Amino acid sequence: MTQEPESSEDVEANVSRETLASVFGDDDERIQQAQDYVGLLRTAGIERGLIGPREVPRLWGRHVLNSAVVGELIGRDSDVIDVGSGAGLPGIPLALARPDLWVTLVEPMQRRVDFLQEVIGTLGIPNVEVLRARADEVAPRGRADAVVSRAVAPLGKLARWCLPLARVGGAMLAIKGQSAAEEIERDAKHLKRAGGGKAEVRLCGREKLVDPVFGVPTTVVRVERAR
Ligand SMILES: C[S@@+](CC[C@H](N)C(=O)[O-])C[C@H]1O[C@@H](n2cnc3c(N)ncnc32)[C@H](O)[C@@H]1O
């Protein structure tokens, strides 16, 4: 007898505890918080137009797990700013995976800020705050250990927004796609002008995201703040 293939949504719902524990730690409360976050993205996030309905089958792999593993590039007890957080990506998964971090979600749109505050309140995440602002309005500047972002702007513009928020020796970490290396080359002058030093492409989650259904490693452009 042939069986109906599982829909990709079913496959997503079956993300294993082992995968979740490898990313969020072997901690039932945090794993539950991550599951509840995906539940909110799938419902309120879509109803309010913060996530496209076509993203439902890949909420775990492409969005939540891929965001959380960026913590591999962030030191212990760091201060982190997520610029243009939208529905909380990558900042919320990062805060859940790394309770030692302090994460500030920066988002200018009130509608998105409301959603972020509801998520933090409903899930009870203790190490995240939301700031309604554009990146260039954030103060104090030059203090964050890491400034993360995903799908916000081309690298050169992102550098102008993110690097001034990082301390000297800190870094901006921009989640990018296949063209990450080309963006570094194309925008090298902008990176330097914004105070950038060493710029490189790093892959996160190579050991954790081994199941292609639940995500492939995340490509990150890391630019150090040199001055
Ligand atoms: C395409 S969304 C990406 C949201 C989220 N990072 C993600 O990956 O799903 C871009 C976000 O950047 C925000 N944004 C646009 N200009 C910004 C600025 N100057 N400073 C901070 N955020 C900004 C938008 O309001 C929006 O929420």
Side-chain angles (χ1 to χ4, degrees):
M1 195 175 80
T2 53
Q3 274 192 328
E4 282 288 305
E6 280 182 301
S7 75
S8 43
E9 194 168 345
D10 291 337
V11 173
E12 281 282 307
N14 288 333
V15 59
S16 72
R17 192 185 188 285
E18 195 188 350
T19 300
L20 294 177
S22 76
V23 173
F24 294 103
D26 193 4
D27 179 311
D28 288 339
E29 190 187 352
R30 272 195 271 147
I31 289 176
Q32 187 61 53
Q33 286 170 318
Q35 287 169 329
D36 290 347
Y37 177 51
V38 169
L40 287 172
L41 290 176
R42 206 192 296 274
T43 52
I46 287 175
E47 281 153 30
R48 299 195 209 171
L50 305 181
I51 287 276
R54 279 192 302 195
E55 297 307 309
V56 168
R58 35 191 196 180
L59 283 175
W60 276 116
R62 189 186 167 122
H63 297 279
V64 174
L65 298 175
N66 262 32
S67 292
V69 294
V70 174
E72 290 174 9
L73 302 179
I74 301 176
R76 247 200 106 63
D77 298 326
S78 287
D79 258 322
V80 178
I81 298 177
D82 176 14
V83 165
S85 194
L89 299 160
I92 286 181
L94 203 47
L96 290 173
R98 291 285 305 277
D100 59 298
L101 305 178
W102 180 255
V103 180
T104 304
L105 310 176
V106 173
E107 171 54 51
M109 283 189 60
Q110 187 64 53
R111 205 161 54 84
R112 295 176 181 174
V113 167
D114 291 343
F115 177 79
L116 292 171
Q117 275 162 344
E118 282 168 39
V119 169
I120 293 167
T122 306
L123 270 53
I125 315 175
N127 57 328
V128 190
E129 66 180 346
V130 188
L131 185 63
R132 184 184 177 200
R134 293 194 317 264
D136 59 292
E137 297 168 331
V138 175
R141 306 171 78 71
R143 296 270 284 273
D145 300 299
V147 184
V148 299
S149 64
R150 192 187 81 149
V152 172
L155 194 61
K157 189 189 256 188
L158 211 48
R160 282 208 308 277
W161 288 351
C162 296
L163 280 172
L165 302 180
R167 63 173 170 79
V168 171
M172 66 176 264
L173 303 171
I175 298 179
K176 288 285 179 184
Q178 298 297 320
S179 60
E182 285 158 38
E183 278 203 65
I184 292 180
E185 209 177 310
R186 184 196 67 201
D187 293 347
K189 254 193 260 170
H190 298 284
L191 298 184
K192 201 165 173 200
R193 214 175 291 147
K198 184 179 176 194
E200 59 188 339
V201 177
R202 301 284 295 269
L203 283 183
C204 297
R206 271 196 291 196
E207 277 147 38
K208 294 171 184 159
L209 304 182
V210 288
D211 177 346
V213 175
F214 300 121
V216 290
T218 308
T219 305
V220 178
V221 172
R222 180 184 187 279
V223 185
E224 197 172 302
R225 178 160 181 203
R227 56 173 171 75

